[in-house]
């Protein structure tokens, strides 16, 4: 995984939610601070997958370098969690931060989705200014089309059908997305996705074709 990357991973099914455990295990082996933000009932499986994919070094490093969180109560608490993670990594002299998040946690924590996407728009700044990489996962079978459109819009890069789509053509920069009211965001998203007729399968096919055309590989 390249540094300074913020990538949305679009997947289907709980089993695939743990596919990127190696993203965290590689970070642990390199001395990165690693965060897994997901519903609490995902934590044990992810920790097991990470433990199994650590290829060398002391397994005890996982305890100090992997932080699992179930989410936050509100927007300010989520921002504080993120900032604290980066501050602690900087204080400890960690080479980088690796942030792996499953977008299902807000439903479990009753976190408001509009603020969730605001946070991810802001995360683009955080990732840009500190050696870090963020993978944000979205289960296509458990998100509404409206929320998936927003998830796509706030991530500069995507992984669709196993293909990396760098420079997502539907990306809305944070400086434009954040100041918009909820109504204006809805209007802009409507205009942006009108070409695909608001059909998620059609959009995913178009994005996958775009990724194949550019011949990108999945980052490590």
């Amino acid at each position: 995984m390249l540094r300074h990357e913020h990538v949305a991973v679009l997947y289907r099914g709980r089993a695939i939610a743990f596919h990127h455990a190696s993203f965290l295990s590689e970070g642990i082996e390199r001395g990165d601070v690693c965060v897994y933000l997901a519903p609490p009932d995902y934590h044990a499986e992810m920790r097991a997958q990470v433990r199994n994919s650590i290829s060398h070094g002391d397994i005890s490093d996982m305890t100090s370098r992997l932080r699992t969180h179930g989410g936050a109560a509100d927007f300010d608490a989520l921002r504080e969690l993120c900032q604290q993670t980066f501050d602690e990594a900087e204080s400890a002299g960690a080479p980088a931060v690796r942030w792996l998040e499953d977008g299902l946690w807000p439903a479990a924590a009753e976190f408001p989705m509009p603020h969730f996407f605001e946070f991810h728009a802001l995360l683009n700044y955080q990732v840009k200014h500190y050696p870090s990489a963020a993978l944000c996962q979205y289960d296509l079978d458990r998100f509404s089309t409206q929320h998936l459109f927003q998830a796509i819009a706030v991530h500069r890069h995507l992984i669709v059908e196993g293909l990396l789509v760098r420079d997502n053509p539907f990306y809305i920069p944070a400086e434009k997305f954040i100041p918009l009211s909820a109504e204006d965001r809805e209007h802009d998203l409507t205009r942006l996705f009108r070409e695909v007729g608001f059909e998620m399968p059609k959009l995913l096919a178009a994005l996958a074709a775009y990724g194949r055309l550019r011949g990108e590989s999945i980052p490590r």
Side-chain angles (χ1 to χ4, degrees), residues 7-220:
V7 183
V9 182
L10 307 180
Y11 74 98
R12 291 188 189 277
R14 177 171 174 139
I16 306 302
F18 307 103
H19 181 77
H20 290 286
S22 60
F23 170 66
L24 297 176
S25 62
E26 289 169 5
I28 291 168
E29 292 174 343
R30 295 175 184 179
D32 299 341
V33 168
C34 299
V35 174
Y36 181 55
L37 183 60
D41 63 333
Y42 278 48
H43 292 181
E45 177 65 18
M46 180 57 80
R47 293 185 74 87
Q49 293 283 350
V50 170
R51 186 180 299 109
N52 291 338
S53 60
I54 290 177
S55 60
H56 66 275
D58 189 346
I59 195 72
S60 65
D61 285 347
M62 192 177 90
T63 302
S64 60
R65 300 196 185 280
L66 176 60
R67 294 92 184 272
T68 54
H69 298 281
D74 54 41
F75 181 73
D76 289 340
L78 182 59
R79 289 288 308 277
E80 183 175 351
L81 168 64
C82 181
Q83 189 61 53
Q84 184 178 21
T85 297
F86 281 83
D87 289 347
E88 289 179 357
E90 186 172 11
S91 296
V97 169
R98 294 191 179 218
W99 183 280
L100 179 60
E101 179 176 352
D102 197 290
L104 293 174
W105 76 259
E110 298 183 352
F111 187 91
M113 291 304 287
H115 289 168
F116 176 72
F117 294 116
E118 286 180 21
F119 169 76
H120 278 278
L122 288 169
L123 191 56
N124 287 296
Y125 291 131
Q126 194 79 49
V127 169
K128 184 185 298 183
H129 290 121
Y130 190 88
S132 55
L135 286 181
C136 305
Q137 304 186 139
Y138 300 91
D139 189 334
L140 292 166
D141 293 329
R142 299 184 63 181
F143 273 82
S144 69
T145 297
Q146 178 188 12
H147 287 159
L148 285 169
F149 280 152
Q150 293 195 61
I152 290 169
V154 297
H155 290 82
R156 183 179 293 276
H157 311 298
L158 310 170
I159 294 177
V160 181
E161 297 182 4
L163 294 166
L164 173 63
V165 180
R166 195 174 296 284
D167 296 323
N168 164 24
F170 295 101
Y171 173 65
I172 300 176
E175 57 270 24
K176 179 178 180 181
F177 184 87
I178 293 170
L180 295 175
S181 67
E183 293 77 13
D184 287 339
R185 286 177 189 168
E186 190 68 28
H187 178 267
D188 277 17
L189 288 169
T190 298
R191 182 174 57 189
L192 187 63
F193 293 107
R194 182 176 290 120
E195 292 184 8
V196 297
F198 310 103
E199 297 178 14
M200 186 55 61
K202 185 176 179 181
L203 174 61
L204 295 177
L207 287 168
Y210 183 76
R212 283 192 292 270
L213 181 65
R214 299 192 54 162
E216 299 281 6
S217 59
I218 293 180
R220 289 284 184 182

